[in-house]
Amino acid sequence: MNDAIQDLRLQVMWTRLISVVEEAAQALMRTAFSTTVRDAGDLSAAVFDTQGRLVAEAVTGTPGHVNSMAAGVRHFLARFPVAEMEEGDHYITNDPWLTAGHLHDITVVSPIFANGRVAGLIGCCCHQLDIGGLGQGPDGRSIFEEGLQIPLLKLASRGRVNADLMEILRQNVRTPLQVEGDVMSYIASNEAGARRVREMLQEFALEGLDGLGDYIIAQSGAATRARIARLPRGTWHNAMTIDGYDRPITLRASLTIEEDCIRVDYAGTDAAVPYGINVVLNYCRAYTVFGLKCVVAPDVPNNHGALAPFVVDAPLGSILNVQRPAPVAARHVIGQMLPDVVLGCLDQALPGRAPAEGSSCLWSVQLRGKLPDGAGFDTVFFNSGGAGARARQDGLSGTAFPSGVRAMPVEVTESAAPIVIWRKELRADSGGPGRQRGGLGQTVEVATRDGSPFEVLAMFERVDHPALGRSGGAPGAAGVVSLASGTAMRAKGRQQIPAGDRLVLELPGGGGLGPVAERDPARIAADLAEGRISAEAARRDYGHN
């Protein structure tokens, strides 16, 4: 077989492998109990070689999950060597320092057996609505308050589920049936993916994934390094100040482009805080690298080779590299800001390539209260503000960049808990003015169905420090957290909504890009006609009559 035909054959197998792991992700969404996975796609699914190197990932998923899992599978192999694995084994952990950064993300890894030997590994990482403890909020002062910690353990041995582990899990959460169902769906997803991988190996007469993995990793690594080689050499710096918990937090980055790699160092970033917005280094790397890839090599498939040329570090003890037992439950509040931080560096090196800052972190609304029969309920639904304006287009409105998760349908959220979402609409005038306008945030209003009091575990950002514009563009609107009665509320921390009142969230908008004076009058008129900006804002910001 000549080289061209062999290369084509390997490319076909590579594409097939991506579709196989996407099928595993879809199986996960069809079988999961939690709306965070089933409806929002807050998950990742991926295939690894026997060395634990990421070979292919599903299209559906989030950077925080898959990029963390890419670095985390080696910990499973250190604890459970490939030589000791048996068919039907499954392994589990939610250790934040080994995988995706907080206890609410559970990772399950399974061997793929073909012809009696381990041909590779398949894994998934999913957001679990309930893991016990205080719940997903920033109030905890240590990891011990934030929920049940699952060390690296066998979830199943030769097809038999670890009954003792499942009993411990059920006993420590508020929604035991949902949690147990979710964990079973993780096994089902891995088994579905493993079955398809076996079929592919048989079709192409392969003994395992290692040889194909070598090719995929080498090709992706070479493509990424070639993109880096075309960039200017040098070091650029950026800083971003955000709300934090009870005081502002400043994230500082230096980005160095070398011949074949890009290094990001967060030296000078503020220290860890005693609240659960801290970030572990694994999660810090995950979102940093995602931000870099969006500009440098967005079309190179994500795998070990594509990730290797990006080197990320943060000072030990900083808010981006905390150690046990620091609280980390709401780590996304900080971590999802990191793409904006590194894009600010890249904008200096590559003018015109980076968008303006966006709202960035999800506004996850975690609510808790009681049902009419006295039983408790715990629910969450995702909301997104506006993304930053782009070089040639306005920013996307109500869009989850960088996490990529979807919003759950209002009807699904209301059927899962005794709440009513009275309002969920785009927030006019929230996008930062500029030649290209920032994306719009949303306004969300929610209360219990019977008007009874309830709690919110607030973890909202960009309230005191809105998304900044770029290249002459103006900032987006800041977020607002309040009650319908007019009372202002804190952006972070567990709080009570009184009986008969409603929680009102006004999500931040994205920053504008380019001089405001260069905005096309026709686009201003279209914004007015479609309600994206008010007549007052058109006159104030653009001088439009």
Side-chain angles (χ1 to χ4, degrees):
M1 185 181 299
N2 65 45
D3 291 344
I5 294 176
Q6 175 64 3
D7 187 69
L8 178 60
R9 184 171 183 268
L10 290 166
Q11 289 283 340
V12 169
M13 287 189 280
W14 186 355
T15 304
R16 174 73 67 81
L17 197 57
I18 292 173
S19 69
V20 164
V21 75
E22 175 62 21
E23 184 173 338
Q26 294 301 317
L28 186 58
M29 293 178 70
R30 288 194 297 271
T31 56
F33 281 46
S34 290
T35 57
T36 50
V37 176
R38 189 182 69 223
D39 297 291
D42 197 4
L43 60 91
S44 69
V47 170
F48 304 81
D49 64 14
T50 58
Q51 300 173 56
R53 299 180 302 174
L54 174 64
V55 174
E57 70 171 36
V59 175
T60 301
T62 78
H65 285 135
V66 73
N67 286 353
S68 294
M69 190 164 59
V73 169
R74 71 179 190 274
H75 299 296
F76 283 90
L77 292 180
R79 175 69 176 81
F80 304 104
V82 167
E84 298 176 9
M85 293 179 176
E86 298 181 278
E87 195 159 2
D89 286 354
H90 300 275
Y91 311 99
I92 187 172
T93 190
N94 69 344
D95 187 323
W97 284 267
L98 302 184
T99 51
H102 69 170
L103 297 176
H104 288 264
D105 285 330
I106 292 179
T107 300
V108 173
V109 173
S110 312
I112 302 168
F113 271 81
N115 301 316
R117 59 189 293 270
V118 177
L121 302 164
I122 188 165
C124 63
C125 179
C126 305
H127 181 93
Q128 182 61 58
L129 177 61
D130 182 16
I131 199 66
L134 292 172
Q136 192 194 353
D139 298 287
R141 297 303 185 94
S142 76
I143 192 71
F144 304 112
E145 300 175 53
E146 294 185 327
L148 178 66
Q149 298 184 63
I150 306 171
L152 288 163
L153 290 175
K154 266 194 173 183
L155 173 58
S157 296
R158 288 183 288 181
R160 184 181 294 274
V161 174
N162 186 336
D164 293 335
L165 172 60
M166 295 307 298
E167 182 63 27
I168 291 171
L169 191 56
R170 287 192 298 268
Q171 189 70 21
N172 280 275
V173 298
R174 300 170 183 84
T175 55
L177 292 178
Q178 177 177 275
V179 173
E180 183 174 26
D182 280 337
V183 172
M184 293 299 102
S185 78
Y186 307 158
I187 292 177
S189 168
N190 283 4
E191 289 183 340
R195 184 166 57 251
R196 292 300 191 195
V197 171
R198 277 195 297 273
E199 292 172 358
M200 191 194 91
L201 294 175
Q202 183 177 8
E203 178 182 347
F204 290 99
L206 297 177
E207 293 187 1
L209 291 176
D210 285 4
L212 178 59
D214 288 341
Y215 172 80
I216 290 172
I217 290 166
Q219 291 289 103
S220 297
T224 303
R225 288 190 295 273
R227 301 293 176 82
I228 294 172
R230 296 200 293 264
L231 302 179
R233 307 285 184 270
T235 299
W236 293 268
H237 302 270
N238 188 39
M240 175 191 290
T241 298
I242 52 179
D243 301 351
Y245 186 96
D246 56 355
R247 61 175 176 81
I249 295 293
T250 298
L251 308 172
R252 297 179 176 87
S254 64
L255 181 147
T256 300
I257 300 177
E258 300 178 1
E259 183 178 355
D260 60 354
C261 74
I262 295 179
R263 300 181 185 276
V264 175
D265 191 336
Y266 287 104
T269 287
D270 284 357
V273 297
Y275 304 99
I277 59 172
N278 298 299
V279 179
V280 303
L281 186 58
N282 206 27
Y283 193 78
C284 167
R285 286 173 174 155
Y287 269 107
T288 299
V289 171
F290 176 72
L292 296 172
K293 280 187 92 290
C294 283
V295 171
V296 176
D299 56 339
V300 177
N302 207 48
N303 53 58
H304 180 83
L307 297 173
F310 302 106
V311 180
V312 180
D313 197 15
L316 192 68
S318 73
I319 200 168
L320 298 179
N321 187 3
V322 298
Q323 302 300 295
R324 300 179 193 276
V328 292
R331 88 287 190 242
H332 69 285
V333 168
I334 302 291
Q336 290 177 5
M337 294 294 177
L338 297 179
D340 274 344
V341 177
V342 296
L343 288 173
C345 293
L346 285 173
D347 182 63
Q348 300 167 54
L350 306 166
R353 297 272 294 274
E357 293 180 4
S359 60
S360 299
C361 90
L362 278 174
W363 278 40
S364 302
V365 183
Q366 184 103 23
L367 305 177
R368 187 174 292 166
K370 291 196 177 296
L371 296 163
D373 63 3
F377 76 85
D378 213 326
T379 191
V380 66
F381 61 100
F382 297 152
N383 305 275
S384 300
R390 297 162 288 177
R392 295 179 178 82
Q393 294 176 281
D394 293 340
L396 296 168
S397 298
T399 299
F401 178 85
S403 71
V405 302
R406 297 193 293 270
M408 298 85 152
V410 166
E411 296 82 359
V412 170
T413 302
E414 292 179 336
S415 68
I419 63 171
V420 176
I421 300 174
W422 291 97
R423 191 159 47 124
K424 187 175 173 68
E425 60 192 21
L426 291 178
R427 181 187 175 195
D429 298 339
S430 58
R435 182 180 62 245
Q436 316 297 344
R437 178 184 42 76
L440 303 181
Q442 301 179 65
T443 299
V444 179
E445 188 170 338
V446 61
T448 50
R449 196 176 299 154
D450 61 357
S452 58
F454 63 103
E455 292 179 334
V456 59
L457 282 67
M459 41 188 166
F460 310 128
E461 254 297 334
R462 298 279 198 209
V463 171
D464 297 320
H465 297 82
L468 298 182
R470 202 180 300 286
S471 303
V480 179
V481 184
S482 65
L483 299 179
S485 60
T487 303
M489 298 189 71
R490 291 181 289 117
K492 293 185 179 69
R494 184 172 171 178
Q495 298 160 83
Q496 180 94 357
I497 288 80
D501 215 335
R502 299 176 184 175
L503 175 65
V504 180
L505 304 173
E506 298 175 62
L507 276 67
L513 191 148
V516 175
E518 296 180 7
R519 180 75 171 173
D520 184 346
R523 298 174 74 181
I524 300 171
D527 282 345
L528 269 168
E530 296 176 20
R532 290 188 286 268
I533 62 173
S534 64
E536 178 186 357
R539 287 191 298 270
R540 181 189 66 234
D541 298 330
Y542 297 105
H544 182 84
N545 295 311

